[in-house]
Amino acid sequence: MHTIKLLKAGDPADWQFELANAITSADELLYELGLEQLENKLAHNPDFRLLVPRAFVKKMQKGNADDPLLLQVLPASSENTPSGLTDPVGDLNAMTTPGLLHKYKGRVLLVTTGACAIHCRYCFRRHFPYASSNPRKHDWKPALEYLYAHDDIHEVILSGGDPLVLDNAKLGRLFAALEQIPHLQWLRIHTRLPVVLPSRIDDELITILQKLRFRTTFVIHANHANELMMDEVEALQQLGSSGITLLNQSVLLKGVNDSSTALISLSKRLYQAGVLPYYLHMLDPVQGAMHFDVQQDRAIEILDTVKQALPGYLVPRLVREKPGEASKTAIFTI
Ligand SMILES: *Cc1c(COP(=O)(O)O)cnc(C)c1O
Ligand code: SF4
């Protein structure tokens, strides 16, 4: 469905307009897909509301209740179980200043914003206390001071939420501040926007990124090949040709991508867009998402089949995040 756009100077950019017009009602989403019969299988008043841009909905198959993209965003009644944790990866223990997570050597993660362009039901930060942990009003000062004081930190990872939900002006100011810290060499942006709102990759953003002195990497987040259609592939290719390294991480999700066929197609589609697979995460045991859990034996079996079918550089590393460990924990396959 296309919305009429009448943009004037000073108006929100296209992507902001699209974001403001994203679907937030399960009834509307099911109506769009001709799946009204699912209405009685929904979670009631989920604490994590539904949010999905129309560009993402367009890639779902009408009438398919098992669509792998739909399952990622629809609040299903199976969410209403008490199992799982609210801080599954020990984020709150690793927080140094508000929004800054220093878990691993040489690199820090900055929770740049609590906002996302999509709400993924399996999100490990769906219970994260953004309101109290976020740098208030984008006041980066305490985080920047911490970075200045630790010259063993070479890489800043912008995460969230989704850092690309910030507009170009805000991002530009943050980058400018980071560039002044002499020991920072690498900038990494963890974002789902090239996949869920490809219009976010606009010319202005590309120009800003190209001018940075950092070696810059995007870690995008796609779980299924159907997420990467023409617009997304084009946006990614544009980032790639601007000199940005492109990696992907996925979460292994029951019903979405828990088959070797799904993962092989995903790797191939990513490579076509210039993206290499990085991590395949085991689900973090987060409350409300346990119905996506895949057993470790099954995960190993799936990945072994993927390994036989693809060159090594198209096989993601199967990992689990354990609170208190010095890195992600690799799960070795036979
Ligand atoms: C995952 C993560 C990183 C990045 O780990 P890499 O193995 O370098 O990708 C850094 N900080 C935190 C807090 C993380 O959760
Ligand atoms: S985009 Fe990332 S942070 Fe946001 S809801 Fe999805 S998984 Fe969570």
Side-chain angles (χ1 to χ4, degrees):
M1 199 173 81
H2 288 278
T3 329
I4 298 163
K5 280 180 246 157
L6 292 169
L7 281 179
K8 299 191 292 289
D11 278 353
D14 283 11
W15 67 270
Q16 287 171 311
F17 195 88
E18 281 186 47
L19 190 51
N21 275 288
I23 294 183
T24 55
S25 137
D27 288 349
E28 185 184 352
L29 176 59
L30 294 179
Y31 176 79
E32 288 282 325
L33 296 168
L35 286 169
E36 292 91 334
Q37 73 272 20
L38 294 185
E39 266 163 30
N40 54 10
K41 290 194 177 154
L42 297 177
H44 292 294
N45 304 316
D47 53 356
F48 187 53
R49 74 185 172 107
L50 182 147
L51 175 68
V52 56
R54 290 170 200 276
F56 196 77
V57 176
K58 264 201 323 207
K59 297 179 278 185
M60 297 176 186
Q61 193 192 10
K62 288 214 158 83
N64 181 4
D66 297 324
D67 183 275
L69 278 59
L70 175 65
L71 294 179
Q72 295 181 48
V73 299
L74 192 68
S77 52
S78 33
E79 290 193 6
N80 298 337
T81 55
S83 60
L85 310 167
T86 55
D87 180 19
V89 298
D91 270 348
L92 299 181
N93 278 334
M95 190 129 42
T96 49
T97 71
L100 196 74
L101 302 176
H102 193 182
K103 265 192 199 173
Y104 306 147
K105 220 173 162 180
R107 52 216 198 274
V108 290
L109 185 150
L110 187 60
V111 177
T112 321
T113 169
C116 289
I118 188 168
H119 284 176
C120 316
R121 307 317 299 173
Y122 55 85
C123 180
F124 73 104
R125 291 213 182 101
R126 59 184 280 171
H127 306 283
F128 192 78
Y130 288 115
S132 58
S133 314
N134 232 11
R136 205 148 296 165
K137 292 206 184 88
H138 307 302
D139 174 14
W140 312 111
K141 225 170 136 212
L144 293 168
E145 277 167 6
Y146 183 90
L147 290 172
Y148 265 110
H150 291 80
D151 59 9
D152 57 326
I153 297 172
H154 302 299
E155 179 178 32
V156 172
I157 302 168
L158 304 185
S159 179
D162 198 309
L164 289 191
V165 168
L166 298 187
D167 64 27
N168 291 336
K170 286 203 187 81
L171 279 177
R173 283 197 292 275
L174 176 58
F175 293 156
L178 292 171
E179 277 197 303
Q180 286 176 24
I181 302 173
H183 47 271
L184 292 184
Q185 294 165 2
W186 303 336
L187 173 70
R188 200 194 314 176
I189 299 181
H190 278 240
T191 176
R192 196 144 156 67
L193 262 77
V195 175
V196 300
L197 203 62
S199 58
R200 176 64 188 96
I201 310 305
D202 55 23
D203 293 344
E204 192 183 38
L205 178 65
I206 298 273
T207 309
I208 293 173
L209 291 167
Q210 274 179 325
K211 285 187 180 151
L212 297 177
R213 69 168 172 84
F214 297 126
R215 171 79 261 192
T216 302
T217 300
F218 269 44
V219 180
I220 64 157
H221 185 161
N223 298 311
H224 193 280
N226 292 2
E227 290 171 49
L228 301 165
M229 299 297 187
M230 208 157 70
D231 289 349
E232 294 76 23
V233 171
E234 265 174 27
L236 290 164
Q237 285 173 341
Q238 209 189 346
L239 284 166
S241 55
S242 315
I244 293 164
T245 301
L246 296 171
L247 304 173
N248 180 65
Q249 62 174 21
S250 318
V251 181
L252 187 59
L253 299 167
K254 189 185 260 173
V256 173
N257 59 7
D258 60 334
S259 73
S260 54
T261 338
L263 293 176
I264 291 167
S265 308
L266 173 61
S267 274
K268 287 181 174 169
R269 188 71 59 88
L270 284 165
Y271 191 43
Q272 191 187 330
V275 185
L276 291 177
Y278 182 35
Y279 284 142
L280 175 63
H281 283 266
M282 296 295 291
L283 183 81
D284 297 313
V286 63
Q287 198 183 326
M290 295 308 285
H291 56 288
F292 286 120
D293 195 35
V294 177
Q295 294 301 309
Q296 185 162 307
D297 288 354
R298 174 74 188 129
I300 291 175
E301 193 179 84
I302 294 170
L303 217 69
D304 276 335
T305 312
V306 173
K307 271 185 188 166
Q308 289 160 23
L310 291 176
Y313 58 86
L314 291 186
V315 182
R317 269 157 272 188
L318 183 64
V319 292
R320 189 188 283 285
E321 184 158 351
K322 292 189 187 161
E325 296 290 317
S327 70
K328 313 282 185 231
T329 304
I331 295 169
F332 292 102
T333 63
I334 359 158

